[in-house]
Amino acid sequence: MILQDVTPFLGDHAPLPTPLNLAEVEPEDQLTVVLMMLRQQRGAVFLVLPSHGSAFAQTEDFASLRRLEREEMALTIVGVVIPPIRATLAAYAHQHGFVHAPSLEETIQRVTQQQQSSQPSEAIIRDPHASQGHFFSRDEEASPVLALPNTPLPVASFASKPRSPNKRPILASVLLGVIVLVLFSTIQVFSPRQQPAASQPVAVGTLQFMSSGLHDPLNSKGLNDQLRLDLQHLREPASGHNDYAWLLPDASNDEIKPLLLGALSIQGGNAHLEYHSPDHANLLVTFSQLRITEQAQGIVPVAPAADPATWRYGGAFPNTLASGDSFSFVAHLRHLLAQDPTLMKLGLAGGLEVWLTRNTEKLLEYATATRDDWGNAGATNLMHRQIVRILDYLDGEAYVGLDVPAGTPFLIDPKMGRIGLLEVQEDQALPSYLTHVDLHLQGLANAPGHTDAQRQLAIHIDQVTAPVRGYMQRIRNDAQLLVSMNQVARDQRALDLINDMVTNATLAYAGQPTSSGENTGGVLWIHNKLQGLAVMPIFPLTQ
């Protein structure tokens, strides 16, 4: 889903509630992901539906949207834009009381008309429990969600009609028309507007966070424990001085000491430095900035120079919240790669991608073992347990009971299997790994401060999660059938299902082979590409 904060375009007199966000649902979006992202929004939202897709294809989907709005009192769905070819969805939206129209302009007009139909002196409140989009005044019994401004909203129109000479309605109409044009022009934009390239400082290099792969499930050591700094177009420090690279914590955290990475060896204006944490510490958990200072040689400094005049180069992962989002770029990045609060509460160290990768590998491991045991009549019980383990990993502890016979024990580590790989029910208390990764990828791509390369990579990775979800769903379908078979070790139908399960587990984990000999599209590919988001541009620091 693409989120766009359009509040800055409203102006002081714009007759629409603020903050105002545009949420464009894409055809491949899952309803669960859309609802999770909306749950993080604050203020008013125009929801734009695609010409096709599974999200909001049923009346129950709009009921879920209405329930979400009741739960999140700071969120209001102002209107829903539904393409004309999806007339059934328009009926569903109307059934659940949502203002809707085939275009954004018409939706704004209908919201305007709803308010104009009331007394000018009354604030209009939409009843979240209404089934027919009823609007009522404040003296009626209601559970208020959104109070629109008292000022009547003018209807935006581009037809040549007689207009009142009153300046305020004319100004408001012009502003509303501009808003509509801006909304349409930005509807395909995945992130807030960027400044012209000429106004941006030119980066002199990058800092890359990398992992040694020595991950201990009991802690996050071995993740993001290596750094690579590559710089170009540097100036030589003064005689008797060196340029020192320092890793700094978040600007709001003054309890963590800066970490000296080393002195730069500049040759021909270029410098390359690698740092490996001696104890394999997860550096991304606490550090998010780099500063290069020019300081005297001879004595290794214990802290970066405090004088800004000595600061030569620097960079930082953006830590600014997008409108309506609870997380910044660096927060989304940490959830994915370094440390996720939900996992921490369960006693799982590391980011979401670590456990997505590990648990998907387990699917392939148990599917392959099940195939290897087929034909051995004495292995029936063992094969049954392996199939149950596959469902344990797919569904998670809370939901696997839906797929296995009553009384079946949970056979994998309860901590590692607490969260499933797949979403089993809408609005799960704990989102699945794929859904959670998807949520933070989209949040990162919409967060302020990302580079174009980071945005494009996040979008590309996000697109790959859809086929992976399809492979896993097919594994689940096969396992659901296999777990109820009595003669799984000798039944030819069981072998066909097992072979299909192995095929899809291989695709989910390793992806598709390419002509270059490399695999693409599986969880391993996602694992490798996600690390590419942890790249920090480095710029000259001019004082």
Side-chain angles (χ1 to χ4, degrees), residues 79-383:
V80 185
V81 180
I82 302 175
I85 63 173
R86 307 191 78 181
T88 303
L89 272 61
Y92 295 158
H94 180 75
Q95 177 184 353
H96 293 282
F98 291 104
V99 178
H100 62 88
S103 70
L104 184 59
E105 180 185 1
E106 291 178 80
T107 308
I108 292 175
Q109 289 177 348
R110 291 188 182 183
V111 171
T112 300
Q113 291 165 356
Q114 288 278 16
Q115 184 178 10
Q116 288 179 330
S117 65
S118 69
Q119 294 298 321
S121 61
E122 294 176 338
I124 304 304
I125 303 173
R126 180 169 43 71
D127 177 8
H129 304 283
S131 61
Q132 300 298 328
H134 175 57
F135 280 68
F136 47 86
S137 61
R138 192 175 293 275
D139 57 3
E140 295 182 60
E141 184 178 357
S143 175
V145 175
L146 168 68
L148 295 174
N150 289 334
T151 306
L153 301 183
V155 177
S157 175
F158 299 104
S160 52
K161 293 181 182 179
R163 290 290 182 183
S164 165
N166 183 287
K167 286 186 177 181
R168 183 173 179 84
I170 292 176
L171 174 62
S173 296
V174 172
L175 284 171
L176 188 55
V178 171
I179 292 166
V180 171
L181 291 176
V182 171
L183 290 174
F184 275 111
S185 67
T186 59
I187 196 169
Q188 297 298 331
V189 179
F190 204 82
S191 64
R193 293 188 305 170
Q194 302 294 319
Q195 294 296 321
S199 67
Q200 296 286 347
V202 178
V204 296
T206 58
L207 177 69
Q208 167 83 59
F209 283 74
M210 303 179 296
S211 296
S212 64
L214 303 174
H215 177 228
D216 183 346
L218 299 179
N219 55 57
S220 63
K221 289 182 180 295
L223 302 176
N224 310 291
D225 57 337
Q226 299 179 354
L227 302 170
R228 183 176 64 213
L229 180 63
D230 291 295
L231 302 170
Q232 306 85 36
H233 310 298
L234 305 182
R235 71 177 188 180
E236 293 286 343
S239 178
H241 288 71
N242 277 335
D243 282 350
Y244 293 93
W246 301 87
L247 201 60
L248 307 180
D250 297 351
S252 60
N253 189 345
D254 56 5
E255 297 181 357
I256 303 296
K257 294 181 179 180
L259 175 64
L260 176 62
L261 304 182
L264 300 185
S265 176
I266 302 175
Q267 298 180 358
N270 300 323
H272 173 81
L273 184 150
E274 290 192 4
Y275 177 85
H276 295 185
S277 171
D279 59 351
H280 298 286
N282 190 340
L283 301 173
L284 188 55
V285 170
T286 50
F287 295 99
S288 63
Q289 302 182 84
L290 179 85
R291 184 179 301 160
I292 297 173
T293 61
E294 183 176 331
Q295 297 177 245
Q297 295 177 350
I299 301 177
V300 178
V302 296
D307 184 1
T310 68
W311 301 353
R312 296 292 173 251
Y313 311 95
F317 287 128
N319 203 12
T320 302
L321 299 180
S323 175
D325 195 345
S326 303
F327 304 113
S328 63
F329 176 97
V330 69
H332 285 297
L333 187 66
R334 283 170 172 160
H335 283 236
L336 289 167
L337 295 177
Q339 181 175 277
D340 180 80
T342 301
L343 299 186
M344 286 181 64
K345 292 177 182 178
L346 300 177
L348 298 176
L352 293 164
E353 67 87 14
V354 170
W355 296 101
L356 172 64
T357 304
R358 181 196 176 279
N359 289 4
T360 304
E361 183 181 17
K362 288 294 183 181
L363 295 182
L364 181 57
E365 175 186 331
Y366 286 121
T368 304
T370 303
R371 183 179 61 185
D372 292 343
D373 288 331
W374 189 88
N376 180 1
T380 298
N381 291 336
L382 175 60
M383 294 174 67

Side-chain angles (χ1 to χ4, degrees), residues 68-85:
L68 173 64
E69 199 178 32
R70 292 176 189 147
E71 296 168 1
E72 302 295 330
M73 296 300 291
L75 169 71
T76 299
I77 305 300
V78 180
V80 185
V81 180
I82 302 175
I85 63 173

Side-chain angles (χ1 to χ4, degrees), residues 303-540:
D307 184 1
T310 68
W311 301 353
R312 296 292 173 251
Y313 311 95
F317 287 128
N319 203 12
T320 302
L321 299 180
S323 175
D325 195 345
S326 303
F327 304 113
S328 63
F329 176 97
V330 69
H332 285 297
L333 187 66
R334 283 170 172 160
H335 283 236
L336 289 167
L337 295 177
Q339 181 175 277
D340 180 80
T342 301
L343 299 186
M344 286 181 64
K345 292 177 182 178
L346 300 177
L348 298 176
L352 293 164
E353 67 87 14
V354 170
W355 296 101
L356 172 64
T357 304
R358 181 196 176 279
N359 289 4
T360 304
E361 183 181 17
K362 288 294 183 181
L363 295 182
L364 181 57
E365 175 186 331
Y366 286 121
T368 304
T370 303
R371 183 179 61 185
D372 292 343
D373 288 331
W374 189 88
N376 180 1
T380 298
N381 291 336
L382 175 60
M383 294 174 67
H384 180 80
R385 290 195 297 273
Q386 289 164 345
I387 295 165
V388 169
R389 290 187 179 99
I390 289 172
L391 289 169
D392 287 344
Y393 277 113
L394 285 170
D395 297 353
E397 185 180 23
Y399 301 101
V400 71
L402 299 173
D403 286 343
V404 297
T408 301
F410 194 71
L411 298 181
I412 65 175
D413 186 312
K415 183 188 297 184
M416 296 181 182
R418 181 67 180 87
I419 298 176
L421 290 164
L422 278 178
E423 209 79 4
V424 176
Q425 290 185 340
E426 293 182 4
D427 300 325
Q428 289 185 186
L430 289 176
S432 70
Y433 281 114
L434 274 175
T435 297
H436 209 163
V437 166
D438 194 40
L439 173 68
H440 285 295
L441 279 171
Q442 297 192 38
L444 184 147
N446 283 289
H450 59 252
T451 66
D452 287 342
Q454 286 166 331
R455 179 175 68 92
Q456 293 299 330
L457 181 57
I459 294 172
H460 188 27
I461 298 171
D462 183 56
Q463 292 169 341
V464 170
T465 62
V468 169
R469 182 178 285 108
Y471 299 141
M472 290 187 181
Q473 186 58 59
R474 287 192 281 275
I475 298 169
R476 183 180 178 225
N477 295 342
D478 292 336
Q480 287 172 328
L481 295 173
L482 287 165
V483 79
S484 62
M485 289 186 176
N486 295 324
Q487 301 298 324
V488 68
R490 290 294 184 92
D491 193 324
Q492 181 61 43
R493 294 173 303 166
L495 180 59
D496 293 340
L497 291 171
I498 293 169
N499 284 333
D500 187 65
M501 195 164 57
V502 172
T503 298
N504 285 291
T506 302
L507 291 171
Y509 181 65
Q512 295 271 10
T514 64
S515 57
S516 65
E518 298 181 359
N519 283 21
T520 183
V523 167
L524 269 184
W525 182 91
I526 293 174
H527 164 81
N528 294 328
K529 293 297 181 181
L530 279 173
Q531 199 70 43
L533 295 170
V535 177
M536 181 190 301
I538 306 301
F539 300 95

Side-chain angles (χ1 to χ4, degrees), residues 52-66:
H52 64 281
S54 61
F56 299 102
Q58 304 178 52
T59 184
E60 292 81 3
D61 298 349
F62 287 90
S64 297
L65 182 63
R66 181 62 79 200

